Amino acid sequence: MAANSAALAASSAFPRVPDVEAFDTRAIQQLDAAHYLHPFTDHAALRDKGVRVIVRAQGVYLWDSEGRQVIDGMSGLWCVNAGYGRTSISEAVYRQMETLPFYNSFFNTTNVPAVRLAAELVDLAPPQFSHVFFTGSGSEANDTIVRMVRRYWDLMGQPQRTVIVSRHNAYHGSTMAGASLGGMAGMHAQGGLPIPDIVHIGQPNYAEHGQGMSENEFGLRAAGWLEEQILASGPERVAAFIGEPVQGAGGVIIPPQTYWPEVQRICDKYGILLVADEVICGFGRLGTWFGSELMGMRPDLISFAKGVTSGYVPLGGVLVGKRVAHALVEKGGDFNHGFTYSGHPVACAAALENLRILREERLVEKVALETGPHLKAAFAELAAHPLVGHAETCGMVAGLNLVRRKGSGPHDCVRFDRDLHVGMLCRGHMFDNGVIMRAVGDRMIVAPPLVMTKLEIDEMAERIWDCLDLTLADLYQRGWV
């Protein structure tokens, strides 16, 4: 590990980060507890435990205020695709701040980085796309999707088409419309969600719902739930179906190969728009520029964020296909929607440099041909651990299920009682022993930076195995296995 870290420090892509000042961790924790409300957090529990303070990062590694090194198995929050410490992105941001730090895109005005980025994104996207609408985040992008889909059908003379179909356990952001599109019950329980005319169908989770079927049979069955919902809602009222190519925050749910082609057939049959939420899957995460390309989808709209700037500066947006763009541009008049920071020049400058890195270092191709297959092999070995029921990967996302007792397949395993929160117990061991791995129920997931090398994948897998051992020992001590 030391030799590998030294190699990273010597690399021109990842210059050595100078030592940072010493921090009073306890003082920062007290300030945090007094003033900082965190996303998706039980603040009373956090106050008692004390927050972890991250102070610097390089490549695929983080360091906290106590000097402990951690492998970032989650790319920050699914976003640091190009890795930490990219000086060229920082320099691009600085140059743009010195030149034009901000101007808005209202009032018949534009800026050069936004125009160049829009053209670059259309060039990278599948051929049916022609335009881009910029936002500040993935949540804002999916709010824009709702407005844009409904405006499209207004312009097409079918204003009654307002129903958008999504999936249970999907995640599409936490704004009012984004959280409504998502299928997270805990989010819907707070704030009177979902908003009207957002409906949900089952997710294509073979391990949970496919018993008695082959994966391909289940893929067709799960896609069929869309047609059932279209008929239940009334085909004349359904506007669109939205889905992540691979469900990310829901637990890295990788659909069977038959699923998305059948969903596409159903959308075509009823003439509804297909929306791909690529906030996580876009920009190389699955080994293609956009996950929809891998899955056999032909979406009309794509929401994106995260990996477009590798998280260095907030930026999101919607790729708009020619079908929708033609209506908005040629028929629409004003589209009464937008944000102060739409097409922010600094964010767009960061994105342009980030995309240059992804292209010139061929990181998307490396995921497809090298690191993605290596991660798959590493997780196949982790599947042999006595605590793991099964493991699966797609590009640079992976998940494994923690089970009380293994079976011959994913449907034969004996699971832990949900109330035991075994996944969170395991996550604690991961965080305390140098690797960030997320828990979704009892499913443990990773989405490491695309720059992670084969040696670093092996190092991460070794740490995961050790933490699984610690979790198993903990479970024995508690009498839970």
Side-chain angles (χ1 to χ4, degrees), residues 4 11 32 79 85 103 167 223 254 297 344 363 365 371 387 422 446 462 470 477:
N4 202 36
S11 165
D32 184 277
C79 54
Y103 199 72
R167 298 179 295 191
I254 303 168
M297 305 167 66
H344 195 293
L363 290 176
E365 292 84 353
T371 52
L387 196 54
V422 171
V446 295
E462 289 171 8
L470 291 169
Q477 185 176 7

Side-chain angles (χ1 to χ4, degrees), residues 160-179:
Q160 77 281 0
R161 283 193 183 248
T162 57
V163 175
I164 300 176
V165 184
S166 183
R167 298 179 295 191
H168 296 301
N169 199 40
Y171 186 81
H172 297 295
S174 60
T175 51
M176 290 293 286

